[in-house]
Amino acid sequence: LILFQKGQTTTPPPFEIFFCFGEEWPDQKPKEKKLITVQVVPVAARLLLEMFSGELSWSADSIPLQISHPDLKDRMVEQFKELHQLWQNQQRLPQPGPTP
């Protein structure tokens, strides 16, 4: 993620986690051919990637996850807003040159 954020790679890091139930995996069959697969997308990883790529919208509807405690989602969004502000401030600072 750091290399992607710095522009040192054009490919964003994968953050999805796949689980396969009832069959051996990995094998020769693609995951689409498996009987039961589950894809887990960590919200924090997705938000960080969207933040660094400039695609993040801070609306409360941008997190398609049901969280049992509504204050937890609100706190997480606020923390990401703060992290985004810190990141923007860091981008505005002059980069230090090489030391002699």
Side-chain angles (χ1 to χ4, degrees), residues 13-32:
F15 53 85
E16 298 93 356
I17 302 166
F18 291 93
F19 294 97
C20 176
F21 297 94
E23 296 181 70
E24 291 292 325
W25 190 49
D27 60 7
Q28 302 299 333
K29 290 171 43 177
K31 66 180 174 284
E32 294 81 13

Side-chain angles (χ1 to χ4, degrees), residues 37-76:
T37 56
V38 175
Q39 178 185 15
V40 177
V41 179
V43 174
R46 184 177 59 84
L47 288 174
L48 284 171
L49 179 62
E50 290 175 0
M51 180 178 68
F52 288 142
S53 64
E55 299 173 5
L56 184 59
S57 139
W58 285 113
S59 72
D61 298 331
S62 69
I63 302 174
L65 179 66
Q66 297 294 325
I67 298 177
S68 59
H69 194 288
D71 293 336
L72 179 63
K73 183 171 92 171
D74 296 337
R75 267 195 319 237
M76 188 166 67

